[in-house]
């Protein structure tokens, strides 16, 4: 690392790595740099190297199987983790994830995601931390430190400027060097500096004309050269396209395999004189270094010999969730709930909570505590009622509640060759992960078969997610026997595409029926490995929306408080596509308005990973942003609503309407997406545009009050004294913003320079010290190609959000 000396243990590991490298022939080296399947690199027994296993990330560790059969702890979404503004909590999350990784035999976690919230339409917003590079770097550093303290590697991703999903494989993002340095590269740089990640994942997209898997300048010159990154660089899955371009552009490992641009093709390129063997050696050295660090190279002492003390995953998931909830509005002290008051809990998501975002970040928790479960357990008996109110699911979801299914594999004669349980109706078998006794040579069909016991009577819809030939039978009748074809030219369409409705069947609550979905196995030839992926999808009878709202209004009228849970769906926020608007799907806005009119103590809980519009926000008593809260979300929500804990979150990203958002563009034109806004994204852009968002960056209320008493600064630190002037103990996130005294149209008016948290009892005063990094006073000078310290007068301000600044002091630097 730039500025940090190797330890004796590093030196000893390097010696083992060099010795191992020296004995490998070209073919073995080239083989090591290519995935052998979806998640692993080949073992090389001749040097005592075991197979290195990677897995997603970031809210849990899925492991090498993509199934609810192999559950994982699911923490709150990365936006939630960032909303805690607590790098130490992020570190503890990392320690838990290392424990999960070890349990699942995983050596490298494909996380954290540190791309920025450039446009609120970014579909993968929930999986990144913030619009601010400093906060992103701080949370990411904590996370990486935690994971690696458990002896498990990380790949900080996606390097770089993968800030939206539209045409993500090909989009050419045109970004000025200044915006790259001051915004998009900054979190990576901070994490490399603070946490020494063992890996980085290179993005799909292009930056300024060059695809990131071949970006010599950003990878070899900036990441490795300037910052001294000594870890390995893995491609995003299927991102590498060109053998020579990739290896010379600094890409060490291409994933997945077995079809690959490395391996034999790389060895051949060396033999043909197109690639220097020394370049291959450098890549192999970095992979062996990773293996040595992770403890899978014989003779090398792993970085962590003894795993850290065990962590209680459920307790930590609950703690992070309640610390992440952002109370953006609380009129007349609507929260916490009054003891023994009656509560009408309303909303489909209150019963079937959406706890995590879709795509590669998906994990399968062993249990989910819904808000209904959490509040039922926390509130006195007889005080809680529930009404659906509005169901935002506008389409089918993967079969889940009420289904008991297994997968049956048959050969071409129809003989059963293997079975596997299939909780949840999703089949995602990759590479060699097939049921015992089954091989691709003989596998002809996979049948999902079992029963469904409906919760409601009425017309149930069944559908199919996936591409290929399917037969769908419900209760003895075959409703579909045909071929589903992709309507989009995306290799991940089978993963991310929408399920298609294929049957509507009248069913009676509580009466089980047989269901069966058979898939004729045909392996796509445009992906590098064998994958069988399809799902049975279902939706319950859709009730009349007006009737549902009327029912909720009635429940609200009869309760002291109405708690309405509104949510996005997995067709709104997911990897693989961007959003088209920020509205809550379905009739949820109508629902909130109707309930608010019926009960003045209406509390709205927003279950989304990233910003949504809240057009009724001034008409309700309280608004609590709950993110995708992870598996214990409902318990955490009960903690916060009842006042057992205060909500601890502050906004890591500005919340406002799409019409007002200054930067929105995510769709390339002719393949190009120019970042015309330069260094002005997030609050930097809102301030420049002179617009006021619904809720500003950094905003969030607790259950106590704070008075900021003094601020002293010498330009390198800021010391802030504050007092808890409320009636209960609390925790405050003290934010420090720096702004040039003379407005400069080329620079943000103000930026987050640092933050610290303070805890105090009622009446108690505390002092925090926040370091002011040199970077807060620097800009990237494009002509000099270097950071330039801008001398002059600045205002240092301390406060509760970028708008609510309580104290300020001038300084000259
Ligand atoms: C995602 C990565 C992920 C990889 C493996 C890609 O589609 O962009 O973030 O780690 O798949 O699942």
């Amino acid at each position: 690392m730039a500025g940090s000396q190797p330890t004796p243990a590093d030196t000893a590991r390097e010696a083992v790595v060099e010795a191992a490298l020296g004995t490998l022939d070209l073919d073995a080296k080239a083989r090591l740099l290519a995935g052998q399947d979806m998640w692993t690199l080949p073992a090389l027994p001749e040097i005592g190297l075991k197979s290195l296993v990677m897995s997603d990330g970031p809210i849990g560790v899925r492991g090498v199987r993509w199934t609810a059969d192999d559950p994982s702890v699911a923490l709150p979404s990365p936006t939630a983790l960032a909303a805690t503004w607590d790098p130490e909590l992020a570190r503890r999350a990392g320690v838990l994830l290392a424990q999960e990784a070890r349990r699942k035999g995983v050596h490298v976690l494909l996380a954290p995601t540190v791309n920025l919230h450039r446009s609120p339409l970014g579909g993968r917003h929930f999986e990144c931390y913030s619009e601010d590079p400093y906060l992103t770097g701080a949370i990411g550093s904590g996370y990486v430190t935690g994971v690696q303290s458990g002896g498990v590697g990380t790949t900080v991703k996606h390097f770089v400027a993968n800030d939206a999903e539209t045409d993500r494989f090909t989009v050419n993002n045109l970004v000025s060097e200044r915006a790259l340095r001051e915004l998009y590269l900054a979190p990576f740089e901070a994490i490399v500096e603070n946490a020494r990640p063992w890996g980085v994942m290179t993005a799909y997209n292009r930056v300024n004309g060059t695809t990131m898997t071949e970006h010599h300048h950003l990878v070899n010159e900036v990441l490795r050269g300037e910052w001294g990154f000594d870890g390995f660089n893995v491609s995003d899955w299927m991102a590498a396209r060109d053998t020579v371009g990739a290896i010379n552009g600094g890409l060490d490992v291409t994933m997945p395999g077995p079809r690959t641009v490395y391996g034999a093709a790389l060895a051949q390129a060396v033999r043909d004189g197109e690639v220097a063997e020394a370049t291959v050696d450098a890549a192999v050295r970095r992979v062996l270094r990773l293996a040595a660090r992770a403890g899978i190279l014989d003779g090398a002492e792993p970085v962590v010999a003894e795993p850290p003390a065990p962590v209680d995953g459920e307790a930590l998931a609950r703690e992070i969730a309640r610390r992440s909830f952002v109370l953006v509005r609380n009129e007349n002290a609507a929260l916490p709930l009054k003891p023994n008051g009656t509560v009408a809990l309303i909303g489909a998501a209150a019963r079937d909570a959406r706890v995590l975002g879709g795509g590669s970040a998906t994990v399968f928790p062993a249990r989910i505590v819904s808000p209904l479960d959490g509040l039922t357990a926390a509130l006195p008996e007889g005080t809680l009622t529930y009404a659906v109110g509005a169901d935002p699911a506008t389409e089918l979801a993967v079969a889940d509640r009420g289904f008991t299914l297994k997968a049956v594999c048959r050969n071409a004669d129809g003989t059963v060759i293997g079975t596997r349980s299939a909780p949840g109706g999703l089949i995602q078998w990759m590479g060699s992960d097939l049921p015992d006794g089954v091989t691709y040579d003989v596998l002809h069909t996979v049948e999902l078969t079992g029963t469904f016991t409906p919760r409601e009577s009425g017309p149930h819809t069944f559908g199919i997610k996936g591409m290929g030939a399917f037969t769908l039978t419900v209760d003895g009748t075959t409703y579909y026997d045909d071929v589903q074809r992709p309507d989009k030219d995306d290799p991940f369409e089978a993963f991310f595409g929408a399920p298609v409705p294929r049957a509507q069947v009248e069913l009676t609550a509580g009466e089980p029926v047989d269901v069966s979905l058979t898939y004729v196995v045909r392996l796509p030839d445009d992906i590098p490995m064998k994958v069988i992926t399809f799902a049975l999808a279902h939706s319950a009878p859709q009730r009349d929306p007006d009737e549902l709202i009327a029912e909720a209004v009635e429940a609200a009228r009869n309760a002291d408080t109405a708690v309405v849970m509104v949510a996005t769906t997995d067709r709104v926020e997911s990897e693989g596509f961007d959003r088209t608007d920020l509205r809550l799907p379905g009739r949820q806005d109508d629902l909130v308005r109707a309930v608010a009119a019926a009960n003045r103590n209406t509390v709205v809980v927003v279950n989304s990973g990233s910003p949504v519009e809240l057009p009724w926000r001034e008409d309700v008593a309280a608004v609590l942003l709950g993110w995708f809260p992870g598996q214990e979300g409902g318990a955490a929500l009960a903690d916060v609503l009842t006042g057992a804990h205060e909500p601890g979150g502050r906004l890591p990203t500005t919340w406002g309407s799409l019409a007002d958002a200054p930067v929105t563009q995510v769709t390339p034109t002719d393949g190009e997406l120019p970042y015309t806004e330069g260094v002005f994204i997030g609050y930097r852009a809102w301030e420049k545009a002179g617009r006021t968002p619904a809720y500003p960056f950094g905003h969030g209320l607790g259950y106590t009050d704070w008075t900021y008493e003094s601020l002293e600064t010498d330009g390198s630190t800021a010391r802030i004294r504050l007092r808890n002037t409320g009636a209960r103990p609390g925790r405050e996130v003290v934010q420090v913003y720096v702004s040039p005294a003379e407005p400069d149209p080329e620079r943000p008016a103000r930026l987050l320079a640092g933050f610290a948290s303070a805890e105090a009892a009622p009446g108690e005063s505390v002092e925090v010290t926040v370091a002011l990094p040199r970077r807060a006073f620097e800009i990237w000078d494009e002509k000099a190609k270097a950071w330039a310290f801008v001398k002059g007068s600045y205002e240092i301000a301390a406060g509760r959000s970028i708008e609510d600044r309580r104290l300020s002091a001038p300084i000259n630097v």
Side-chain angles (χ1 to χ4, degrees):
M1 284 315 87
S4 77
Q5 295 302 319
T7 63
D10 289 336
T11 310
R13 263 190 302 275
E14 287 302 294
V16 178
V17 165
E18 286 309 316
L21 175 62
T23 65
L24 290 176
D25 64 23
L26 175 62
D27 295 307
K29 288 188 283 196
R31 211 149 52 80
L32 179 62
L33 300 181
Q36 61 179 355
D37 54 28
M38 189 67 173
W39 307 114
T40 72
L41 297 185
L44 297 179
E46 63 270 35
I47 54 167
L49 174 70
K50 296 190 184 65
S51 168
L52 184 115
V53 180
M54 301 176 240
S55 174
D56 292 304
I59 59 137
V61 185
R62 194 174 50 244
V64 295
R65 296 182 52 213
W66 198 300
T67 165
D69 253 358
D70 185 10
S72 314
V73 176
L75 296 177
S77 58
T79 33
L81 191 62
T84 69
W85 288 58
D86 188 347
E88 168 55 17
L89 196 53
R91 187 196 64 76
R92 288 172 54 211
V95 174
L96 168 76
L97 295 171
Q99 171 180 307
E100 285 283 278
R102 282 177 175 261
R103 179 172 71 79
K104 293 198 165 201
V106 168
H107 308 113
V108 173
L109 185 61
L110 303 172
T113 309
V114 302
N115 300 114
L116 296 184
H117 296 163
R118 174 178 171 267
S119 160
L121 294 176
R124 228 174 153 177
H125 223 306
F126 68 89
E127 205 189 308
C128 313
Y129 293 129
S130 168
E131 67 191 17
D132 182 75
Y134 180 81
L135 179 59
T136 300
I139 298 294
S141 295
Y143 181 101
V144 167
T145 303
V147 175
Q148 294 187 174
S149 74
V152 171
T154 54
T155 64
V156 188
K157 67 188 186 184
H158 310 85
F159 189 76
V160 61
N162 182 182
D163 309 298
E165 292 296 280
T166 307
D167 297 343
R168 63 179 174 154
F169 293 95
T170 52
V171 61
N172 182 14
N173 294 322
L174 302 177
V175 197
S176 71
E177 187 76 15
R178 179 163 175 192
L180 278 173
R181 297 288 183 152
E182 294 184 21
L183 296 174
Y184 304 100
L185 289 170
F188 290 94
E189 182 182 12
I191 296 167
V192 167
E193 174 80 23
N194 302 330
R196 302 189 62 183
W198 299 356
V200 157
M201 184 190 291
T202 296
Y204 290 122
N205 50 277
R206 290 166 189 265
V207 171
N208 300 330
T210 306
T211 194
M212 281 309 305
T213 44
E214 301 174 19
H215 217 299
H216 173 74
H217 167 58
L218 291 175
V219 173
N220 286 333
E221 295 180 350
V222 176
L223 172 66
R224 293 202 171 108
E226 289 179 32
W227 304 346
F229 169 68
D230 72 354
F232 91 125
N233 168 17
V234 60
S235 71
D236 199 347
W237 266 229
M238 293 171 61
R241 300 167 183 92
D242 183 79
T243 307
V244 177
I247 194 81
N248 288 335
L251 183 72
D252 299 331
V253 170
T254 69
M255 288 299 288
R259 216 174 65 193
T260 176
V261 298
Y262 281 0
L266 180 57
Q268 193 56 47
V270 173
R271 292 192 174 103
D272 292 346
E274 291 176 299
V275 171
E277 189 160 354
T279 308
V280 174
D281 285 353
V284 171
R285 182 177 292 116
R286 290 186 285 261
V287 174
L288 292 178
R289 181 180 297 145
L290 170 71
R293 286 172 164 166
I296 55 166
L297 178 63
D298 280 359
E301 192 61 35
V303 170
V304 176
E306 279 294 313
V311 179
D312 178 343
E314 287 176 6
L316 184 62
R318 181 169 175 169
E319 182 183 345
I320 295 173
R322 66 182 175 237
R323 289 279 312 280
S324 76
F325 295 159
V326 185
L327 183 59
V328 289
R329 177 181 170 87
N330 195 17
E331 293 300 296
N332 310 322
L335 289 179
L337 299 171
K338 309 288 170 287
N340 299 315
T342 52
V343 174
L345 179 65
I346 295 163
R351 184 174 63 179
D352 300 322
R354 184 150 191 238
V355 300
L356 49 81
S360 64
T362 304
V363 297
F364 301 90
R367 69 168 207 173
I368 288 177
V369 182
S370 72
L372 182 56
D373 300 335
L375 282 169
T376 304
L379 296 178
E381 225 181 298
T383 56
L384 183 70
T385 55
Y386 172 73
V388 174
D391 192 344
T394 49
E395 58 184 33
L396 297 156
V398 169
D400 187 1
R401 236 168 266 261
F403 287 85
T404 308
L405 299 168
K406 67 178 175 187
V408 178
C409 300
R410 295 189 176 84
N411 65 14
D413 307 335
T415 308
V416 174
I417 53 174
T419 60
R420 186 183 266 185
S421 73
L426 174 71
I427 299 293
Q428 209 115 267
W429 297 339
M430 301 180 184
S432 53
D433 175 34
L434 290 175
D436 286 346
V438 177
T439 58
Y440 284 105
D441 310 344
V442 288
L443 177 60
H444 181 61
T445 61
V446 180
E447 182 190 9
L448 263 173
T449 171
T451 59
F452 172 57
T453 310
R455 204 158 48 174
E456 298 95 351
S457 297
H460 286 251
T461 309
F462 295 83
I464 306 168
K465 181 176 158 92
M467 301 304 144
F470 292 97
T471 308
L472 172 67
T473 306
V474 182
D475 201 14
T477 306
T478 295
Y479 289 88
Y480 185 78
D481 188 15
D482 208 335
V483 179
Q484 286 198 164
R485 297 176 208 284
D487 55 8
K488 218 168 120 190
D489 186 21
D490 180 329
F492 287 129
E493 181 65 0
F495 279 95
F496 299 129
V500 189
R502 295 298 182 191
Q504 204 172 63
V505 190
E506 200 60 39
L507 299 176
T508 310
E511 286 184 13
V513 287
D514 291 335
V515 288
S516 153
L517 176 65
T518 300
Y519 166 64
V520 181
V521 176
R522 211 200 114 258
L523 298 168
D525 44 22
D526 55 349
I527 63 169
M529 65 174 314
K530 298 184 168 79
V531 176
I532 296 180
T533 176
F534 69 95
L536 175 65
H538 166 258
S539 75
Q542 303 290 314
R543 289 192 41 211
D544 176 53
D546 291 323
E547 219 174 85
L548 284 179
I549 292 178
E551 214 173 79
V553 165
E554 193 52 28
R557 199 169 279 134
N558 294 326
D560 295 323
T561 304
V563 174
V564 188
M565 184 106 178
V566 293
T568 59
T569 69
D570 60 359
R571 298 310 302 164
V572 174
E573 288 183 84
S574 173
E575 179 178 338
F577 51 84
D578 288 315
R579 297 164 72 182
T580 49
D581 60 51
L582 301 183
R583 287 195 292 274
L584 285 166
R587 294 283 302 277
Q588 297 183 94
D589 287 333
D590 294 341
L591 170 69
V592 175
R593 285 198 181 96
V595 170
N599 188 324
R600 54 188 295 275
N601 284 328
T602 293
V603 173
V604 180
V605 180
V606 183
N607 179 196
S608 73
S610 51
V612 288
E613 287 166 358
L614 313 171
W616 32 256
R617 64 183 186 280
E618 305 286 330
D619 306 330
V620 300
V623 179
L624 182 72
L625 309 182
W627 312 110
F628 294 145
Q631 65 173 66
E632 305 297 316
L637 184 65
D639 289 343
V640 162
L641 294 182
T642 59
H645 293 267
E646 67 172 353
R650 305 291 185 267
L651 280 180
T653 271
T654 310
W655 276 47
S657 69
L658 185 60
D660 288 340
V663 181
T664 56
Q665 191 55 264
V666 290
T667 307
T669 310
D670 297 332
E672 292 185 344
L673 184 63
Y675 284 24
T676 47
E677 69 286 347
V679 295
F680 297 95
I681 64 166
Y683 62 79
R684 292 158 162 83
W686 284 87
E687 284 212 311
K688 190 178 171 72
R691 294 183 201 153
T692 308
Y695 298 111
F697 179 77
H699 174 64
L701 308 168
Y703 288 156
T704 190
D705 297 317
W706 297 90
T707 305
Y708 281 59
E709 294 185 337
S710 66
L711 163 67
E712 282 168 39
T713 180
D714 58 3
S716 59
T717 57
R719 281 214 322 269
I720 299 110
R721 180 158 284 282
L722 65 162
R723 188 177 298 276
N724 179 347
T725 48
R728 50 178 285 163
R731 182 175 183 281
E732 170 73 333
V733 178
V734 179
Q735 303 160 36
V736 177
Y737 294 93
V738 166
S739 51
E742 284 300 309
D744 174 349
E746 305 287 307
R747 290 176 82 183
R750 180 169 290 106
L751 46 82
L752 178 73
F755 58 90
S757 51
E759 287 183 18
E764 194 188 348
S765 91
V766 280
E767 190 172 87
V768 295
T769 301
V770 177
L772 302 176
R774 191 179 159 82
R775 230 1 112 66
F777 305 98
E778 288 180 327
I779 59 166
W780 180 260
D781 181 337
E782 299 213 314
K783 285 209 191 77
K785 295 193 182 353
W787 290 99
F789 189 87
V790 187
K791 290 203 176 88
S793 308
Y794 288 84
E795 181 200 78
I796 307 294
R800 316 203 64 203
S801 78
I802 193 153
E803 276 178 17
D804 187 5
R805 301 183 302 278
R806 297 291 172 92
L807 297 170
S808 68
I811 49 150
N812 274 306
V813 293

